[in-house]
Amino acid sequence: MKWSELFTSSVGKKVIMALTGIFLILFLIVHVGLNATIWAMDGGEMFNKGAHFMGSNIVPRILEIGLFAGIILHIVQGLMLEFQNRSKRKQGYAVAMGNKGSKWYSRSMGVLGTLILLFLVVHIADFWLPNRSNQGFLLGEEINLYDKMQEVFKQEWVVALYLLGCFSLAWHLLHGFQSAFRTFGVSNKKYLALINCVGIGFSIIVPLAFAMMPVSFYFGWV
Amino acid sequence: MEQYSMNLTLKVWRQKNANEQGRFDTYQVKDISSEMSFLEMIDVLNEEMIREGKDPIAFDHDCREGICGMCSMYIDGRPHGPWQNNTVCQLHMRAYKDGDTIVIEPWRANAFPVIKDLMVDRSSFDRIIQAGGYISVNTGSPVDANAIPVNKDMADASFAAAACIGCGACVSACKNSSAMLFLSAKVTHLALLPQGDPERRSRALKMVAQMDKEGFGACTNTGACEAVCPKGISIENIARLNREYLAAGLVAE
């Protein structure tokens, strides 16, 4: 069996979703951890140091390429799977099954993912793009990202959009976290219970911490 | 429970064949006993239609005791109707009350084309079994008990998976029309026993390939299949199938 056959089968496609999903979950840990330094109450000094390391050191900058590759693969594969799966039932039901047997968010991964994608476009245009273009997309001088956050999060609609992004992320993670492990083949009840617990905790804590960032700036808490 | 009779309104999917457009027709049934099964209720309607010279409703049925997996009806938004761990033939009219309206649809999936009315062609399941859901050699006559040691837990898990009757409710409930619960039950049933062990790797690969060829969707672990399975097949089997498939696919030349 060729690699191409393995990863284009229905199970293989799900493995790609799970692998990239876990990779993006790991990225979220780094991202939320670094950004939490805005609450160091030092006028953004520690935050800018962290941002400077991520933006000027060659290692995180190379990893950044991997991150974009992972995000794009997750999005493209996810959208393709969503459309392929939908096409498998040309004639739909008159009476929908709804929540009889499955949770709404487990059936809405495509919609939730698309909302996150829309948020990501705005988010990248807000911070990553102006910073990297200032650097000439190489290792040039960065902008003051803490000041930039203060400026961006003055607008109500931006804060609202970021909250919507975090809300979508929470539901997306609530299904995605444990589903990824099932795709890898974890069927042991003991481990599944543990994964469920950690998944629920992660899906609440990480998006909540992210959501508090624009809120903190908007209300002038930092 | 006291026996009672009821009058019902049925909205039934009528479709001449796979190529024709279908539609819902509305029927009134009278004096239905609460002790009838759902299929007997349709029998009553059909006999009346035959007497009136109309085309009766085509539906699949065989054993009428909940083990053949033929009665494939999607009733009021749920495969096999409102009861848990149940097939349509074992759904009894005491689940309904006088004046209820019941909507009956066939399984809907490209891989299960409608033959007529509520009958669908589930031969795609047969072809998945033919692709690898068996043991290639004759296992001979029964050997002495305990000649082949089998772990009791494994035997129980295998037996629980072997309870799958291949009715297709999992596919009909799945938003992706995925056959993964069916497939995982068949793979689990054989993979956990010593007799099925030698072919477990090639079996998982062949059966998944056939499932994809038949036009079923990919699994997204929503759990709708498990909720409607008349035999209570667990979604844990799907994780086991994923593991079997990955282990096989990563080492297969």
Side-chain angles (χ1 to χ4, degrees):
Chain A
M1 173 177 247
K2 292 184 201 132
W3 289 113
S4 59
E5 286 170 336
L6 178 63
F7 288 112
T8 52
S9 71
S10 61
V11 178
K13 285 177 193 164
K14 297 300 303 173
V15 170
I16 289 184
M17 290 309 288
L19 279 173
T20 51
I22 295 287
F23 173 65
L24 295 176
I25 282 171
L26 293 173
F27 158 72
L28 285 180
I29 298 173
V30 176
H31 191 18
V32 80
L34 271 171
N35 279 32
T37 56
I38 60 165
W39 292 305
M41 299 303 173
D42 56 0
E45 199 187 322
M46 195 192 283
F47 174 80
N48 276 334
K49 270 187 191 161
H52 174 65
F53 171 75
M54 295 303 276
S56 62
N57 190 297
I58 189 79
V59 176
R61 288 300 300 277
I62 290 171
L63 290 175
E64 188 178 69
I65 299 167
L67 174 64
F68 272 101
I71 290 177
I72 290 166
L73 192 55
H74 194 78
I75 292 168
V76 172
Q77 180 80 90
L79 286 173
M80 276 169 52
L81 265 171
E82 178 76 20
F83 289 120
Q84 281 167 4
N85 284 340
R86 282 181 187 214
S87 73
K88 306 294 185 190
R89 180 173 288 137
K90 288 205 183 90
Q91 168 87 50
Y93 288 108
V95 185
M97 202 176 144
N99 291 330
K100 285 173 263 181
S102 60
K103 299 274 195 292
W104 71 270
Y105 53 86
S106 75
R107 301 191 309 273
S108 314
M109 292 300 273
V111 173
L112 291 168
T114 306
L115 286 174
I116 298 169
L117 173 61
L118 294 177
F119 156 77
L120 265 183
V121 171
V122 176
H123 180 50
I124 287 174
D126 277 344
F127 298 104
W128 186 87
L129 206 57
N131 194 29
R132 291 289 179 265
S133 64
N134 202 58
Q135 290 183 287
F137 292 96
L138 294 169
L139 296 170
E141 199 183 333
E142 296 139 83
I143 59 172
N144 186 325
L145 280 171
Y146 190 82
D147 289 351
K148 184 78 181 165
M149 278 172 105
Q150 234 151 9
E151 175 199 322
V152 168
F153 294 139
K154 271 182 192 146
Q155 302 145 277
E156 282 95 358
W157 75 270
V158 176
V159 175
L161 188 80
Y162 273 62
L163 291 181
L164 178 69
C166 294
F167 183 77
S168 309
L169 178 66
W171 292 109
H172 196 77
L173 283 170
L174 198 57
H175 178 69
F177 192 100
Q178 51 90 23
S179 180
F181 288 94
R182 287 177 187 275
T183 301
F184 290 146
V186 180
S187 61
N188 183 312
K189 281 194 184 107
K190 185 171 71 180
Y191 285 94
L192 281 179
L194 188 67
I195 288 163
N196 268 339
C197 277
V198 174
I200 292 168
F202 191 92
S203 313
I204 295 170
I205 294 166
V206 172
L208 188 66
F210 276 127
M212 286 315 289
M213 289 166 193
V215 171
S216 295
F217 278 105
Y218 183 77
F219 288 109
W221 297 338
V222 289
Chain B
M1 190 192 266
E2 193 85 351
Q3 189 267 344
Y4 59 97
S5 56
M6 65 195 95
N7 298 333
L8 300 164
T9 305
L10 304 182
K11 287 185 177 168
V12 184
W13 184 259
R14 302 304 305 266
Q15 185 172 341
K16 277 211 172 81
N17 55 52
N19 304 319
E20 299 255 333
Q21 279 280 348
R23 65 181 194 283
F24 280 101
D25 274 358
T26 306
Y27 304 94
Q28 307 291 334
V29 283
K30 290 191 171 63
D31 295 326
I32 296 298
S33 162
S34 62
E35 290 179 351
M36 280 182 187
S37 79
F38 198 87
L39 297 187
E40 284 166 338
M41 182 269 295
I42 298 182
D43 289 339
V44 169
L45 172 63
N46 272 349
E47 278 181 29
E48 198 181 303
M49 287 172 79
I50 291 165
R51 273 199 300 275
E52 291 170 3
K54 291 180 189 159
D55 187 23
I57 299 162
F59 65 96
D60 260 327
H61 61 101
D62 188 5
C63 73
R64 298 212 179 195
E65 55 186 14
I67 54 168
C68 76
M70 290 303 287
C71 45
S72 45
M73 292 184 197
Y74 182 95
I75 303 165
D76 288 334
R78 199 176 184 283
H80 291 303
W83 288 354
Q84 299 281 318
N85 296 327
N86 197 57
T87 53
V88 182
C89 64
Q90 293 303 303
L91 173 64
H92 283 73
M93 295 314 292
R94 60 179 178 271
Y96 298 94
K97 55 185 192 304
D98 189 38
D100 278 355
T101 299
I102 307 171
V103 182
I104 313 170
E105 300 175 68
W107 285 174
R108 302 224 190 258
N110 301 354
F112 288 162
V114 171
I115 298 170
K116 192 182 179 194
D117 300 338
L118 302 172
M119 280 174 108
V120 297
D121 179 356
R122 289 178 294 125
S123 56
S124 47
F125 268 15
D126 297 338
R127 289 187 291 274
I128 292 176
I129 296 286
Q130 283 158 10
Y134 52 80
I135 294 165
S136 296
V137 294
N138 191 341
T139 52
S141 54
V143 293
D144 285 344
N146 301 327
I148 303 171
V150 183
N151 180 310
K152 178 74 166 76
D153 296 339
M154 291 289 201
D156 287 349
S158 169
F159 191 78
C164 169
I165 54 176
C167 67
C170 44
V171 175
S172 84
C174 177
K175 79 172 185 71
N176 308 323
S177 309
S178 172
M180 284 286 273
L181 192 69
F182 163 76
L183 187 51
S184 69
K186 300 305 171 194
V187 163
T188 295
H189 153 212
L190 294 172
L192 297 184
L193 294 177
Q195 292 85 347
D197 187 63
E199 291 171 286
R200 65 193 293 177
R201 297 212 155 147
S202 60
R203 177 182 302 123
L205 295 181
K206 283 183 201 162
M207 290 179 83
V208 169
Q210 187 63 36
M211 175 184 72
D212 292 351
K213 210 153 94 185
E214 296 292 346
F216 293 101
C219 172
T220 50
N221 295 322
T222 66
C225 52
E226 182 186 50
V228 301
C229 177
K231 298 297 154 186
I233 305 287
S234 167
I235 195 174
E236 278 168 34
N237 292 315
I238 294 183
R240 183 180 291 103
L241 169 62
N242 289 334
R243 192 165 72 233
E244 292 284 326
Y245 183 84
L246 264 181
L250 288 173
V251 296
E253 295 281 346

